[in-house]
Structure formats: structure tokens, C-alpha cells
Amino acid sequence: MLRFLLRRILFGSLVIWIVATVIFILYFVTPHDPARLIAGKNATAQSIIDVKRRLGLDRPILDQYGRYLWRLIHGDLGYSYFSQQPVTSIIKRELPVTASVTLGGAILWILIGISSGVLAATHPRSFADRTVTGFALFFYSMPTFLLGELLLLGLIGEAYKIGFKFFPPGYYVGISQDPYQWFVHMILPWFTVALVTAATYTRLTRGSMLEVMGEDYIRTARAKGLRERRVVYRHGLRSALTPVTTQFGIDIGTLLGGVIVTETVFSLNGLGEQIYNSISRQDLPVIMGIATLASVFIVIANIAVDAVYAVLDPRVRLS
Amino acid sequence: MKLKIPGTGSPDPTVDDGDPAEIQGRGPWQLAWARLRHDRVAVISGITIVGIVLVAIFAPVVAHLTGHSPFTQYRTTGLSPEGIPVGPGRNFLLGTDSLGRDILVRVCYGTRISLLAGVVASSLAVAVGVVVGLTAGFFGGAVDTVLARTMDAVLSLPYLVLAIALISVVGPSLLVSIAVIAFFSFSSVGRIVRGQVLSIKEKEFIEAARSLGAGNLRIMFVDILPNVLAPVIVYLTLLVPASIVFEATLSFLGLGVVPPTPSWGGMLSESTAWYQVAWWYVLVPGLGLLVTTLAFNLLGDSVRDAFDPRYNRLFVSES
């Protein structure tokens, strides 16, 4: 198990290094001139040279690369062109919002996906199965931004105006300020993030579950008189979940994409909205910083998922 | 004699016919085609897709018939005196947008972008994925390790975040969108192909081909490739809607097609501020997008059912 984890961590570090390098290259093959952007519109040639020297942009590329990696390891992501603030403090400020959206969305996603998949698989070809499969296909085809905009903002926003004040749209309320308001404000974003990705899991869990429930050991479990609930959840679901877990690791990247779109649609001041706003401002350090952070998060999350996978399926640890 | 499992209805019209005179050997492709033709969902979604393609082809005809260009801002007829978009009516069949442009004409032109991005990007992704997967699976060893690991890494990356980082540097355009979509999609095809190739290359007919003196390239593309084509085609039909959503998301975030070129994602992005006063502004491009992805996903599902050999085993057993 330890060797397995060690290998995964090594591979993860390699991925992070490659992503960091690609981001560095992107930063330097750009036609844009950071020094000119920072120095402002009315900068003289001399002040641009000064800024260049201050940022180390006049040094050889490899030297800059070394410094870039060194700063990265020490958690320094540079300064925003737009607000001159350190990117790390922007991230620190907005991370709670993104963490709320991501975590809540992921939990809801797994809950909806797996439970509806199990429901469909335990009653194959029933009305429930058809309904669940139909909904899954519908949401699977639905782009996140359309779901957020059309269904949630549009429909429920209208309902809110005429007095159905259960799901207030828009802005973020800190969890430490008012946990109840935080929760209520988060419901719509969570569903937006969750529904699209959950649809994949409904289909995946249903397929995997149907396959497992046809196995001999399920028949054995039933034959020895276990209750159906126990057969389904303890014997069936556990092994049906292994392919679902692998897919989950892959889809965390999709999840983050959904979070960007959701934050943008709901105007939540998180990292997703930050990166969206930075696009039009050409605020490259912020974009690159958030992209680096997201990649690191993905790699860590993937290692965690692999560990869970190894717990669920002992065969993985041995290979 | 063919036995039917009770309660499953008549699932496979191609196997279920009783006239022995008509029975003849049919290849898997013919079988799949026959099943597709008898699948009502497949036929309906196929017809829908043909309709969407026609809309894309005849977009200039629509523009000619309405007398509106997709770019002209009809400020006197297309906007109310207060500057609010005009709803569906005689002059503008599906209303106008915030600049007084004809939404019908723009949506028709937007179809072109979505289809182009969807079909070209996924074909590109499939082509690259097939070559990479074939190479990895066929040669094995170090080649396989490097390629498979790369594909794993690309799959797990936060693709939207990295796409934002990349495009904000390179600058948005349809070509860039297509390249980005293809890059982040080829791995899933590659993994599927690799898995199939790993088992096929051990088969006897490969040994036979080799003993006849066939070279590596010939074995890869003439002997192995036709055998992995079925899952690849299934994947292609499912990748098209995913690419359409991806493109729309990029356009929505302002990273896809550059305005004023009409695209569904771009139109939806412009409409966010207007959904309360101009529902058609959101609904028309939204429905266009949803119907398109839904049709492709339904067709993809049917294609998978048609190719999946387990389809036979589940419903009909030979005795």
C-alpha cells in the first residue's frame, strides 16, 4: 500500500512539474509584454526597462525558469497586473467560496449519481428506471451554463420574485457569518454543478450495478438468506463502485470546469469567477496562478481517489 | 431454435424473424445497421440531426428569406423605443437580441459553428486517439508506459482551467477552440483503443498475419484497426455532443468564436443580462444547443446498443 501511494505521489509530482513548465512556456511565448502592462499606458521606455529589471524579465530564460520554479515551490505566484495584489492573497480570499461550491457540488453529485443509479439498476426496465435514465440523458446533454442560466436563475429567479423565497439566487454568504444563509445560497450553485456530472454517474452506476447483480456471489448471498437491502448495498454496491471510483478521479477536472461556469453564472466571487474576469483583463498571473493551483488540487485529489480505490478493491494494492 | 426470455418483449427485430428462407450470414456492421434502422429513438434523433445539418447548410437561405443579415443591427425595427429587444413577431420570427439583430438568422448561422466545432474536433480527437492507442497497445513496453501515462495525465487535468490559460495567451478563434477540444478529448479514445488492442494483438490471426510476412504498420492498420472500429464509432458519436458543449462553454466564457460571429454559446453569454425582459433571447439558442446535444447523445446511445454484443446475450439466447 505504501509503495503504491509512493508511486502515485511521484507520478503526481511529475504531472505538476509538467503543468508548471507548460504554464511557464505559455507565459513566455506570448506576444504580450508583462513589463509594459504593469508599467501602465503612459510609461516611458526607461520605466518599462525598470519594471523589466525588477521582475527579472531581462535575465536569460533558463534563469527565469529556475526562479519561477523556486518561487512556485515557496508558494509565490506573482502579482496581478490588474490590482497589483499578490495572486496568493487573491486566492486565499476567494478560496472559501470555491471550496464551498466544489465540495458541496461534489457531495451532491455523488449522492444523486449513485443513489439514482442504484434505484435504476435494482428495478431494471421499470418506470423508475426509465424516468431516471431519461433524466440522466437530459442533464447529460445539458451544458452547465445553460442549466444554471435557464433553469435555476431563470425559473427559480422568477419564482423568487413572486414570493417563493426559498432559494435566493446570487451572492455568497460566509459560512462563519451565517451558516443557514450560506447553505440556502449555496443550494442552486450546488445543483448546477452536480446535476450535469451526476448524470454520467447514474448511467455508470446503473450499468456497473446491473453487471454485478448478475454475478454468482450475489446469488449465493441471496441463497444464504440475506435481506435484499444487505445484498444490494454490502455485496453488490461495494464492487459495483470500483469502476465508478476510477471515473470519479478523472472527472474532478470536469467538476472544476463546472465550478468556473457556475460561479460565473451566479456571480459568486470565487476563483472561477476571478479567472473568468481575468480573461478580459488579460491578467495573466492570476489565470496562471489559478490554473497551477487547480492542477495541484487535481493531482492530490486523484491520489486520494486512488487510495480509496485501493481500499475498495484489494486487487489494486497487489499489482 | 431461438428462445426469448419472458417479459422482455420483442427486443431485436433482426434476430426475431421467423422466415427461415431469409436467414443469411450477416456481418457485425450489417447487424448493427439493421438494429439502428429498427430503433425508433435512433431514427428520430438521426432525422433531427439531418434537420440540424440542413439548417446549418441553408443558413444563408434563411437570411435571404427574412431579408436580415446575421450582423446587421436593426436599431429602428429590432429594438423598442426604450432600447429593449423586440419579441417574436411578423418581422422578426424569433425576436431580436440586445443590439437589434435577428435571432433566427443568428441561431441558424450559430448552428454552423457548433456543428463544425463538434464534428471536426471530435474527428480530430478520434484520429489522434486511434493512432496513439494503437501505438501504445501494439508496441507495449516503454512506449506503452509513456503514452498510457500521458493519456492518464491529460484525462485528469482540469481541462477548462488549462484551456482558459492557453486561450487567454494564444487568443480566441474557432481553430484554437477545435485544437483545444481535440487535445483534451483524444485520451479517452486512446485508452479505449489501447485496451482493445492489448487483447486483439494476442489473437491467432495476428500471428498468422505476421507469419505471412506482414509488417508492423500493416498489422496495426489493416488487421487490428477494423476490429477496434466499432467502439471507436460509438465513442465518436458520443464525443460530438461533448465537443459541442465544450465549444459552447468556451464561447460562453468569451474564449471561443470571436463576436460578432454568431455562436450559440456567445449568444447565451450575451443574453444573461436580458433573460428577465427577453426570454426568447435565452430560450432560442438554449433550445438549439439542447436539442442538438440531446439528439447526438440519443443517437450515440443507440449506436452503442447496436454494436454491443451483449445486447444479444441479454435478450436472446440460442439453444
Side-chain angles (χ1 to χ4, degrees):
Chain A
M1 185 70 187
L2 196 69
R3 264 192 60 187
F4 168 79
L5 273 183
L6 222 63
R7 212 170 51 222
R8 296 296 292 123
I9 291 172
L10 217 66
F11 178 64
S13 319
L14 189 71
V15 173
I16 294 177
W17 175 65
I18 291 173
V19 169
T21 307
V22 169
I23 287 177
F24 176 80
I25 293 171
L26 276 181
Y27 209 70
F28 276 85
V29 294
T30 42
H32 89 294
D33 186 351
R36 189 178 295 274
L37 275 172
I38 291 174
K41 263 187 197 150
N42 304 320
T44 59
Q46 184 55 45
S47 65
I48 291 177
I49 291 171
D50 286 345
V51 171
K52 258 198 175 135
R53 177 155 308 140
R54 200 180 74 219
L55 293 176
L57 291 172
D58 52 348
R59 294 166 189 278
I61 291 256
L62 269 181
D63 186 38
Q64 290 189 42
Y65 178 59
R67 281 161 187 276
Y68 163 81
L69 282 185
W70 183 253
R71 284 199 307 263
L72 202 63
I73 292 168
H74 292 80
D76 179 359
L77 292 169
Y79 294 84
S80 158
Y81 291 164
F82 182 73
S83 61
Q84 313 297 338
Q85 287 173 312
V87 174
T88 39
S89 63
I90 295 179
I91 288 178
K92 252 181 226 147
R93 193 179 64 225
E94 301 190 339
L95 194 61
V97 183
T98 305
S100 305
V101 179
T102 312
L103 282 180
I107 291 170
L108 196 63
W109 157 26
I110 297 169
L111 278 182
I112 296 177
I114 292 178
S115 57
S116 63
V118 171
L119 175 75
T122 45
H123 306 87
R125 277 179 276 282
S126 68
F127 177 71
D129 181 20
R130 279 172 211 285
T131 316
V132 165
T133 324
F135 267 105
L137 198 76
F138 179 72
F139 284 115
Y140 180 71
S141 307
M142 189 89 144
T144 312
F145 64 89
L146 192 60
L147 179 70
E149 191 176 322
L150 202 67
L151 273 182
L152 302 181
L153 260 182
L155 283 182
I156 299 183
E158 286 304 302
Y160 187 73
K161 265 194 295 182
I162 57 169
F164 181 72
K165 302 207 180 229
F166 194 64
F167 304 115
Y171 70 94
Y172 174 78
V173 178
I175 186 170
S176 52
Q177 278 174 315
D178 187 344
Y180 174 72
Q181 282 300 321
W182 169 81
F183 184 78
V184 176
H185 277 87
M186 277 295 144
I187 289 178
L188 291 186
W190 284 342
F191 269 98
T192 310
V193 173
L195 280 181
V196 176
T197 18
T200 325
Y201 285 72
T202 307
R203 293 154 61 104
L204 207 65
T205 313
R206 180 181 179 272
S208 159
M209 196 71 187
L210 273 177
E211 206 163 293
V212 168
M213 293 308 278
E215 299 272 343
D216 286 347
Y217 72 89
I218 294 293
R219 195 190 50 201
T220 311
R222 283 199 180 117
K224 73 180 182 186
L226 287 184
R227 266 177 303 152
E228 185 64 17
R229 178 190 282 270
R230 199 176 160 83
V231 174
V232 168
Y233 290 99
R234 293 297 288 272
H235 291 73
L237 190 58
R238 178 172 163 153
S239 56
L241 278 188
T242 37
V244 181
T245 321
T246 359
Q247 186 63 31
F248 183 73
I250 291 170
D251 280 346
I252 300 174
T254 318
L255 175 71
L256 288 190
V259 170
I260 295 180
V261 174
T262 306
E263 287 184 357
T264 308
V265 170
F266 286 92
S267 321
L268 298 169
N269 296 316
L271 294 174
E273 208 215 12
Q274 183 68 42
I275 201 171
Y276 170 71
N277 289 332
S278 301
I279 296 170
S280 50
R281 293 178 196 146
Q282 279 285 300
D283 199 346
L284 291 178
V286 175
I287 297 179
M288 302 304 171
I290 295 177
T292 314
L293 179 78
S295 309
V296 172
F297 170 72
I298 292 285
V299 166
I300 294 172
N302 261 300
I303 294 174
V305 167
D306 279 347
V308 171
Y309 190 62
V311 171
L312 276 176
D313 188 350
R315 282 169 300 180
V316 178
R317 272 170 283 173
L318 301 173
S319 67
Chain B
M1 193 197 136
K2 296 184 173 78
L3 275 184
K4 274 203 301 180
I5 295 170
T8 54
S10 134
D12 193 340
T14 60
V15 190
D16 201 31
D17 59 4
D19 187 0
E22 268 183 35
I23 293 178
Q24 45 180 303
R26 274 189 274 202
W29 293 89
Q30 285 165 303
L31 270 177
W33 177 241
R35 283 194 198 117
L36 264 186
R37 263 195 337 212
H38 285 95
D39 184 341
R40 206 182 311 148
V41 176
V43 172
I44 294 174
S45 46
I47 291 172
T48 312
I49 290 169
V50 171
I52 295 165
V53 172
L54 288 179
V55 168
I57 293 173
F58 292 111
V61 177
V62 176
H64 182 76
L65 285 179
T66 54
H68 298 146
S69 115
F71 303 109
T72 314
Q73 304 176 4
Y74 300 96
R75 298 204 175 178
T76 45
T77 50
L79 290 175
S80 73
E82 295 82 31
I84 290 171
V86 170
R90 263 204 13 231
N91 202 354
F92 297 95
L93 287 176
L94 294 176
T96 59
D97 67 7
S98 54
L99 295 173
R101 294 174 294 195
D102 191 328
I103 287 187
L104 171 68
V105 177
R106 283 179 70 76
V107 160
C108 290
Y109 273 94
T111 316
R112 296 183 149 193
I113 300 289
S114 281
L115 284 186
L116 204 64
V119 173
V120 175
S122 32
S123 311
L124 197 64
V126 164
V128 175
V130 164
V131 172
V132 173
L134 263 178
T135 315
F138 185 75
F139 289 107
V143 178
D144 183 34
T145 310
V146 171
L147 288 180
R149 277 296 174 188
T150 311
M151 289 191 284
D152 282 355
V154 171
L155 264 185
S156 65
L157 286 176
Y159 59 85
L160 192 57
V161 188
L162 291 180
I164 289 176
L166 183 77
I167 298 176
S168 56
V169 165
V170 185
S173 75
L174 184 59
L175 264 180
V176 172
S177 304
I178 290 177
V180 166
I181 297 169
F183 175 75
F184 285 108
S185 320
F186 85 91
S187 318
S188 25
V189 187
R191 280 191 2 158
I192 294 171
V193 172
R194 173 180 171 270
Q196 298 270 327
V197 172
L198 280 180
S199 71
I200 290 174
K201 73 168 178 183
E202 306 296 337
K203 296 256 164 77
E204 275 134 2
F205 72 93
I206 299 300
E207 210 174 314
R210 192 173 294 287
S211 55
L212 282 171
N216 282 343
L217 274 181
R218 190 187 159 81
I219 292 178
M220 279 164 71
F221 287 95
V222 178
D223 295 317
I224 296 181
L225 185 60
N227 289 292
V228 300
L229 230 43
V232 167
I233 285 182
V234 171
Y235 207 82
L236 178 64
T237 36
L238 291 171
L239 201 55
V240 171
S243 306
I244 290 177
V245 170
F246 200 159
E247 191 283 322
T249 307
L250 287 178
S251 288
F252 181 80
L253 294 174
L255 292 167
V257 177
V258 185
T261 306
S263 67
W264 291 347
M267 292 176 77
L268 283 164
S269 160
E270 294 157 11
S271 73
T272 36
W274 292 91
Y275 69 91
Q276 281 163 327
V277 285
W279 51 268
W280 56 90
Y281 200 172
V282 184
L283 206 65
V284 176
L287 273 184
L289 190 55
L290 192 60
V291 168
T292 309
T293 50
L294 206 55
F296 273 107
N297 274 326
L298 284 169
L299 183 68
D301 251 24
S302 299
V303 172
R304 175 169 40 203
D305 285 347
F307 273 116
D308 194 347
R310 270 180 301 181
Y311 190 84
N312 265 328
R313 213 172 61 213
L314 277 174
F315 293 110
V316 184
S317 60
E318 305 275 338
S319 68

